[in-house]
């Protein structure tokens, strides 16, 4: 049976007419996440309410799936195209893509190539081109912001993220939805276009509570740490939500040389109060190779932190899990929490230090509310409610801390 909260939210949405019938285009790169989102939407809208059956404004409101069939085949030369297998005329379309999914391959001139972020982005544009202006509205959901780390220009450099956004908006995209953008100010490239950037602190809390049974979330036991100056805003927000202290590292770099396009890090310097005997949550937007994050964890343990929990929205693990295995064996890390917004190898998911924060229900709720042109603030758990649930959790009165 649907939860009481789901029933209340559904009844609230029924008071607003959807802008158009809902349609999902789940790119192959996001098949696992997209399937979960589709299942949640089916569950949300399968509730038996007469208004849905009788009102023509709710045409195609209840479906067994909202996913639209399509193909993105490749020619032997590596060229591609998108082919829609069903009509999307008049639909409110949401295209879901994971540009970091390197597990997909295609053949080109007899060679096997793995998909790059560029390949995934081109396929998104091909789908938009195949829609050919027939949809009522097009939104692109790209959890990992394509070229998000190249969001600003320093000297003779490209400005890839801004160009990507201008290109999509120019093709008729109405709204761009992402999560934990490296720098959301890149949306200023098109200030009159919709750009939604969502954060996963509630899902982090839920996952930590469920995977670390003896965790005490209060100011006497927890400190939230930013691994660098760029993540300070995230750490401060997260710390304020749970009412604890915060600290930070700053990266001391060697500006006399450039390695792989950036100045190498010489050392991480800690700024903050004493963390001896305290559990520490290190929060950032992504784990790339993980070297910087693991060095931060090592120093926290040298400062006598009790346990180190890493929370990152995206776990890319570009150099594989070996360094994290080694750090876990040495006691530098105790748990790594990442979302399921990007592809992660099954072998990494089986590691004892790994925990996944499921974002599918949250993303489905966002889509549901946007389809009704309703404020997405309605699907966000209020801070006061989180404080109440945290208090119950610390007294061990609740085993289901957050339902988002």
């Amino acid at each position: 049976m649907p939860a009481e909260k789901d029933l209340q939210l559904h009844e609230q949405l029924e008071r607003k007419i959807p802008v158009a019938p809902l349609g999902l285009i789940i790119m192959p790169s996001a098949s696992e996440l997209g399937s979960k989102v589709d299942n949640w939407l089916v569950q949300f809208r399968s509730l038996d309410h007469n208004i849905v059956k009788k009102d023509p404004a709710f045409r195609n409101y209840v479906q067994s799936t909202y996913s639209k069939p399509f193909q993105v085949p490749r020619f032997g030369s590596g060229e591609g195209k998108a082919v829609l297998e069903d009509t999307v005329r008049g639909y409110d379309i949401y295209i879901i893509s994971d540009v970091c999914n390197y597990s997909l391959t295609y053949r080109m001139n007899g060679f096997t190539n793995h998909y790059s972020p560029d390949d995934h982005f081109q396929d998104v544009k091909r789908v938009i081109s195949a829609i050919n202006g027939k949809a009522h509205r097009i939104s692109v959901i790209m959890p990992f912001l394509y070229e998000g780390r190249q969001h600003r220009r320093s000297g003779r450099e490209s400005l890839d993220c801004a160009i990507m956004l201008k290109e999509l908006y120019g093709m008729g995209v109405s709204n761009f939805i992402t999560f934990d953008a490296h720098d959301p100010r890149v949306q200023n490239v098109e200030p009159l276009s919709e750009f939604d950037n969502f954060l996963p602190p509630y899902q982090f809390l839920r996952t930590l509570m469920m995977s670390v049974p003896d965790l005490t979330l209060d100011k006497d036991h927890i400190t939230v740490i930013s691994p660098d100056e760029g993540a300070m805003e995230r750490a401060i927000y997260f710390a304020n939500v749970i009412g604890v202290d915060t600290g930070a590292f700053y990266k001391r770099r060697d500006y006399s040389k450039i390695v792989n396009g950036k100045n190498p890090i010489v050392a991480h310097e800690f700024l903050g109060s004493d963390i001896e005997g305290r559990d520490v949550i290190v929060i950032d937007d992504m784990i790339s190779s993980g070297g910087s994050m693991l060095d931060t964890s090592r120093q926290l343990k040298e400062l006598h932190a009790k346990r180190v929990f890493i929370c990152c929205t995206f776990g890319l693990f570009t150099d594989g899990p070996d360094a994290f295995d080694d750090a876990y064996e040495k006691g530098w890390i105790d748990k790594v929490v990442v979302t399921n917004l990007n592809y992660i190898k099954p072998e990494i998911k089986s590691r004892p230090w790994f925990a996944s924060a499921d974002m599918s229900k949250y993303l489905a709720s966002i889509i549901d509310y946007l389809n009704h042109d309703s404020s997405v603030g309605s699907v966000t758990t209020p801070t006061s409610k989180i404080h109440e649930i945290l208090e119950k959790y610390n007294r061990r009165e609740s085993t289901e801390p957050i339902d988002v």
Side-chain angles (χ1 to χ4, degrees):
M1 290 293 294
E4 181 180 352
K5 180 180 178 182
D6 292 337
L7 289 170
Q8 292 173 350
L9 292 177
H10 190 84
E11 290 171 356
Q12 179 182 340
L13 284 182
E14 281 189 347
R15 300 188 189 104
K16 301 198 70 172
I17 298 174
V19 298
L22 175 62
L24 299 180
I25 293 185
I26 303 170
M27 304 301 294
S29 59
S31 58
E32 184 176 345
L33 174 65
S35 177
K36 290 182 177 180
V37 170
D38 186 31
N39 290 338
W40 277 115
L41 287 167
V42 170
Q43 181 175 326
F44 292 161
R45 297 189 172 191
S46 63
L47 308 177
D48 187 15
H49 294 282
N50 291 330
I51 187 174
V52 172
K53 297 179 179 179
K54 297 180 179 179
D55 194 330
F58 286 80
R59 177 176 60 91
N60 294 330
Y61 191 78
V62 178
Q63 298 289 324
S64 59
T65 179
Y66 295 93
S67 178
K68 290 291 185 180
F70 72 102
Q71 295 182 36
V72 278
R74 293 270 179 167
F75 301 103
S77 61
E79 298 167 288
K81 66 177 179 178
V83 181
L84 300 179
E85 299 178 356
D86 194 7
T87 181
V88 295
R89 187 181 295 276
Y91 275 75
D92 186 19
I93 294 294
Y94 293 82
I95 303 172
I96 307 176
S97 176
D98 173 15
V99 298
C100 292
N101 190 338
Y102 56 89
S103 68
L104 303 181
T105 60
Y106 63 91
R107 299 286 291 177
M108 184 176 73
N109 296 321
F111 296 96
T112 299
N113 282 359
H114 284 263
Y115 272 72
S116 70
D118 295 335
D119 292 316
H120 290 304
F121 179 52
Q122 286 298 124
D123 278 350
V124 168
K125 292 194 294 182
R126 290 184 177 109
V127 167
I128 297 172
S129 176
I131 292 173
N132 195 25
K134 294 180 174 63
H136 176 80
R137 186 172 67 179
I138 300 175
S139 298
V140 170
I141 301 174
M142 196 177 287
F144 186 93
L145 181 60
Y146 172 75
E147 294 294 352
R149 284 187 281 183
Q150 189 54 32
H151 62 280
R152 62 182 180 181
R153 176 179 288 151
S154 298
R156 303 181 188 90
E157 292 183 346
S158 58
L159 199 55
D160 298 44
C161 189
I163 291 173
M164 177 271 295
L165 289 174
K166 288 187 72 67
E167 196 167 2
L168 289 183
Y169 290 133
M171 294 181 72
V173 170
S174 300
N175 190 19
F176 189 92
I177 301 163
T178 191
F179 284 82
D180 207 348
H182 196 63
D183 189 343
R185 291 176 297 181
V186 72
Q187 67 185 286
N188 294 335
V189 68
E190 286 285 345
L192 299 181
S193 299
E194 291 188 62
F195 181 101
D196 288 315
N197 180 50
F198 297 98
L199 300 173
Y202 309 130
Q203 287 76 14
F204 284 158
L205 283 175
R206 179 187 176 92
T207 305
L208 280 173
M209 290 174 177
M210 296 179 68
S211 59
V212 187
D214 61 340
L215 186 65
T216 302
L217 289 162
D218 62 31
K219 61 183 179 62
D220 297 322
H221 297 85
I222 289 283
T223 300
V224 176
I225 299 295
S226 169
D228 55 41
E229 57 276 17
M232 271 301 298
E233 186 175 349
R234 296 179 182 90
I236 291 172
Y237 176 77
F238 194 82
N240 287 341
V241 167
I242 59 179
V244 300
D245 292 333
T246 186
F249 281 84
Y250 78 89
K251 296 176 181 178
R252 187 152 52 86
R253 296 180 179 272
D254 182 358
Y255 289 97
S256 66
K257 62 180 70 173
I258 296 177
V259 178
N260 294 328
K262 57 186 179 181
N263 303 107
I265 299 170
V266 176
H268 292 86
E269 306 289 349
F270 179 65
L271 302 173
S273 57
D274 184 18
I275 60 171
E276 183 173 357
R278 300 168 68 90
D279 288 334
V280 172
I281 300 174
V282 184
I283 188 165
D284 205 354
D285 60 334
M286 74 177 74
I287 294 172
S288 185
S289 65
S292 178
M293 189 66 75
L294 294 179
D295 185 54
T296 296
S297 302
R298 174 186 61 79
Q299 292 193 53
L300 288 170
K301 281 300 181 79
E302 290 176 354
L303 292 170
H304 307 293
K306 180 182 176 182
R307 292 178 296 186
V308 175
F309 306 112
I310 297 173
C311 292
C312 286
T313 307
F314 303 103
L316 304 183
F317 301 103
T318 56
D319 290 348
D322 293 346
F324 286 85
D325 290 339
D326 184 56
Y328 182 72
E329 291 175 4
K330 292 178 178 177
W332 295 352
I333 59 174
D334 294 271
K335 191 66 69 176
V336 178
V337 179
V338 298
T339 71
N340 62 338
L341 292 172
N342 69 280
Y343 170 77
I344 297 174
K345 281 184 177 180
E347 65 185 73
I348 296 178
K349 294 180 181 179
S350 65
R351 296 301 206 266
W353 45 262
F354 180 87
S356 178
D358 187 8
M359 301 291 291
S360 59
K361 186 177 182 181
Y362 186 39
L363 181 53
S365 299
I366 292 169
I367 293 172
D368 205 13
Y369 271 73
L370 291 177
N371 179 240
H372 289 79
D373 264 353
S374 185
S375 170
V376 292
S378 302
V379 301
T380 305
T381 305
T383 301
S384 59
K385 181 64 175 178
I386 293 177
H387 289 165
E388 177 186 340
I389 298 174
L390 283 171
E391 184 179 350
K392 289 182 178 180
Y393 172 81
N394 285 331
R395 294 200 306 261
R396 296 304 185 265
E397 295 179 7
S398 174
T399 56
E400 280 293 321
I402 299 176
D403 185 17
V404 177

